[in-house]
């Protein structure tokens, strides 16, 4: 069971889980947020366009987003599976994914919803820190850096991302409820939805995730 979608509100911990899944099962971790941020850092046209939306807590339009993911999952290293983190985020994106896989006689195996209530999300996001150089993510309480403010992996500074600031988080949450939450029903109907309790400690969440993937 190795074609995996991680669902969940921003800050639910799906990125952390996705990274661990990728490591454990030796499959690529495909994060659309990371792809946009890498483009932004490299000053590409795509990065510039994406930034306009990201800074406001809005979703980048589907046409920009879908092509990138479809190109990525057709690459050789994705043939034994991959974990999608932050995609799909809208029903049209989910439909585009289903259709693209259909064409090559494939389908996603499982969509795991990391469930966390809104109240906990805002609190969590304010403690989130990210390295804008290598993309590593931390949390001041649950996943602190070894040296304060310094990325363990590359030694650059870790910061509170603009889109993790409280006012943007509220906007992202309402966008999540309007546009992304309907995917829970979409994948329930496809019979591939699984839910884990994202309020547990990270290791417990990962244990629940691996139980799903290995059942
Ligand atoms: P993330 O790191 O997954 O929280 O993504 C950060 C931001 O990138 C989001 O708030 C959106 O603006 C944008 N983004 C990431 N993935 C998508 C997607 N699948 N569709 C549209 N926008 C996205």
């Amino acid at each position: 069971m190795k074609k995996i979608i991680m669902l969940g509100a921003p800050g639910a911990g799906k990125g952390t889980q996705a990274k661990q899944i990728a490591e454990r099962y030796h499959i690529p971790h495909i994060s659309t947020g990371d792809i946009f941020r890498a483009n932004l850092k490299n000053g590409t046209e795509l990065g510039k366009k994406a930034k306009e939306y990201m800074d406001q807590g809005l979703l980048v339009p589907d046409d920009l987003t879908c092509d990138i993911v479809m190109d990525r999952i057709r690459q050789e290293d994705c043939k034994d599976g991959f974990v999608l983190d932050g995609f799909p985020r809208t029903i049209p994106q989910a439909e585009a994914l289903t259709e693209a896989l259909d064409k090559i006689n494939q389908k996603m195996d499982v969509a795991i919803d990391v469930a966390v209530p809104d109240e906990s999300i805002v609190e969590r996001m304010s403690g989130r820190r990210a390295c804008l150089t290598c993309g590593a993510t931390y949390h001041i309480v649950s996943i602190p850096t070894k040296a304060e403010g310094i990325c363990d992996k590359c030694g650059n500074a870790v910061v509170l991302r603009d889109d993790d600031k409280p006012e943007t988080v509220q906007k992202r949450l309402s966008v999540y409820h309007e546009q992304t939450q309907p995917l829970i029903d979409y994948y329930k109907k496809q019979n591939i939805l699984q839910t884990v309790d994202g309020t547990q400690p990270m290791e417990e969440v990962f244990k629940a995730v691996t139980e799903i993937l290995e059942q």
Side-chain angles (χ1 to χ4, degrees), residues 32-33 37 54 58 60 65 86-87 89 93 161 163 172:
T32 38
R37 281 184 289 276
M54 291 168 81
L58 299 173
V60 177
T65 311
F87 183 93
R89 254 183 163 101
Q93 289 181 10
R161 266 173 19 199
D163 59 347
R172 289 172 73 194

Side-chain angles (χ1 to χ4, degrees), residues 9-11 14 31-34 36-37 50-62 65-66 69 85-90 93 125 128 161 163-164 168 172 175 180:
K14 61 183 184 313
S31 154
T32 38
D34 283 354
F36 290 136
R37 281 184 289 276
K51 183 177 163 45
E52 290 170 31
Y53 299 92
M54 291 168 81
D55 281 354
Q56 297 177 63
L58 299 173
L59 294 185
V60 177
D62 290 338
T65 311
C66 287
V69 178
D85 163 17
F87 183 93
R89 254 183 163 101
T90 65
Q93 289 181 10
M125 302 273 268
R128 205 143 97 150
R161 266 173 19 199
D163 59 347
D164 285 342
T168 320
R172 289 172 73 194
V175 167
T180 309

